[in-house]
């Protein structure tokens, strides 16, 4: 089973309209990762406020960012190379349901509709999508904040940085490993069971 941790840095907080400006992904138990700065698909200049939060500047995107078409295709191919079509795979995000998973759906839609890419292979792969936010809210009910930085502090793990995709992914990976230890004590061991726990089904 492959577990992939995923994070997007974006030009704004609205997952239906903001541009993706950075993609970061890493595989559990492997040194393999994906990282790319992305030129805004809308062509709009990155705001000063977002640059302050992320450290990503318009100049960085101009000189080091990939065209969104190439970035999306490279990321899609990386996913296909690493997801196992014969097993259950897991993609993990923090606040994925309200943010990152929406951007992933937008990437797949743009690949299919704008780049005329056949994504049927991806759609046939068995993937469990886990949002660690509801899991953590259920596990750590008295925590003052469920931001990754506070979860890292709570779980006494290294915070690799904030608001850069690959750094957030590395922090999320370590948080998820600690979460799995807590869940195993409750008899929850599979991705399907973690998802059911997040959804209050068990």
């Amino acid at each position: 089973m492959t577990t992939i941790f995923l994070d997007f840095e974006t030009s704004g907080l609205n997952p239906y309209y903001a541009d993706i400006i950075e993609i970061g992904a890493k595989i559990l138990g492997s040194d393999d990762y994906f990282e790319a700065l992305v030129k805004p698909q809308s062509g709009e200049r990155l705001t000063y406020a977002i640059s302050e939060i992320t450290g990503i500047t318009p100049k960085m995107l101009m000189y080091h960012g990939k065209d969104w078409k190439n970035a999306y295709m490279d990321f899609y191919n990386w996913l296909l190379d690493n997801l196992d079509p014969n097993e259950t795979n897991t993609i993990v995000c923090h606040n994925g349901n309200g943010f990152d998973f929406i951007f992933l759906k937008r990437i797949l839609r743009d690949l299919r509709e704008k780049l005329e890419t056949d994504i049927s292979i991806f759609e046939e792969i068995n993937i469990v999508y886990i949002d660690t936010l509801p899991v953590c809210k259920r596990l750590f009910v008295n925590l003052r904040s469920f931001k990754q930085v506070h979860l890292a502090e709570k779980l006494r793990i290294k915070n690799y940085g904030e608001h850069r995709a690959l750094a957030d992914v590395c922090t999320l990976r370590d948080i998820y490993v600690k979460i799995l230890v807590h869940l195993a004590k409750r008899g929850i061991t599979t991705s399907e069971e973690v998802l059911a726990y997040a959804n209050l089904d068990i």
Side-chain angles (χ1 to χ4, degrees):
M1 181 186 74
T2 299
T3 299
I4 293 177
F5 302 94
L6 174 62
D7 183 75
F8 297 107
E9 296 301 325
T10 63
S11 65
L13 297 178
N14 189 320
Y16 298 98
Y17 298 102
D19 290 305
I20 294 170
I21 58 174
E22 189 175 39
I23 304 171
K26 193 164 184 20
I27 299 172
L28 181 64
S30 169
D31 293 330
D32 198 0
Y33 68 90
F34 182 90
E35 184 178 29
L37 288 169
V38 185
K39 290 184 172 73
Q41 185 175 347
S42 68
E44 295 182 4
R45 182 180 175 85
L46 204 61
T47 65
Y48 177 78
I50 294 298
S51 292
E52 280 286 288
I53 293 171
T54 63
I56 299 171
T57 66
K59 187 174 182 179
M60 289 169 61
L61 295 179
M62 178 182 295
Y63 290 105
H64 304 292
K66 292 185 177 183
D67 180 83
W68 69 269
K69 300 181 185 70
N70 295 330
Y72 289 9
M73 187 59 69
D74 288 348
F75 178 53
Y76 176 72
N77 288 329
W78 183 86
L79 286 174
L80 289 184
D81 286 342
N82 288 286
L83 294 169
D84 190 335
N86 300 312
E87 294 188 9
T88 298
N89 301 268
T90 308
I91 295 181
V92 182
C93 294
H94 192 67
N95 193 27
N97 294 334
F99 199 75
D100 298 275
F101 293 149
I102 298 172
F103 281 102
L104 179 58
K105 289 178 182 178
R106 285 177 56 188
I107 287 177
L108 295 170
R109 183 194 65 197
D110 286 343
L111 285 170
R112 182 180 62 248
E113 296 179 1
K114 296 182 179 180
L115 301 183
E116 299 181 346
T117 303
D118 182 1
I119 64 168
S120 59
I121 296 175
F122 180 88
E123 293 173 328
E124 291 170 0
I125 297 174
N126 186 17
I127 301 173
V128 177
Y129 294 90
I130 293 179
D131 182 350
T132 51
L133 182 58
V135 177
C136 290
K137 284 184 174 180
R138 189 173 177 188
L139 271 178
F140 313 119
V141 292
N142 295 319
L143 196 62
R144 63 187 175 90
S145 169
F146 293 93
K147 291 182 178 180
Q148 281 197 175
V149 61
H150 296 128
L151 289 168
E153 181 182 345
K154 160 76 175 177
L155 297 171
R156 298 181 181 179
I157 62 173
K158 178 180 178 180
N159 180 24
Y160 293 84
E162 293 181 80
H163 304 301
R164 289 302 302 268
L166 196 58
D168 280 339
V169 158
C170 289
T171 303
L172 176 59
R173 173 201 59 198
D174 291 356
I175 288 171
Y176 189 67
V177 169
K178 285 290 187 77
I179 286 173
L180 291 180
V181 173
H182 285 275
L183 292 176
K185 295 176 182 178
R186 294 164 169 79
I188 297 168
T189 58
T190 68
S191 295
E192 292 89 346
E193 289 170 343
V194 175
L195 180 61
Y197 181 85
N199 293 336
L200 304 178
D201 293 331
I202 58 174

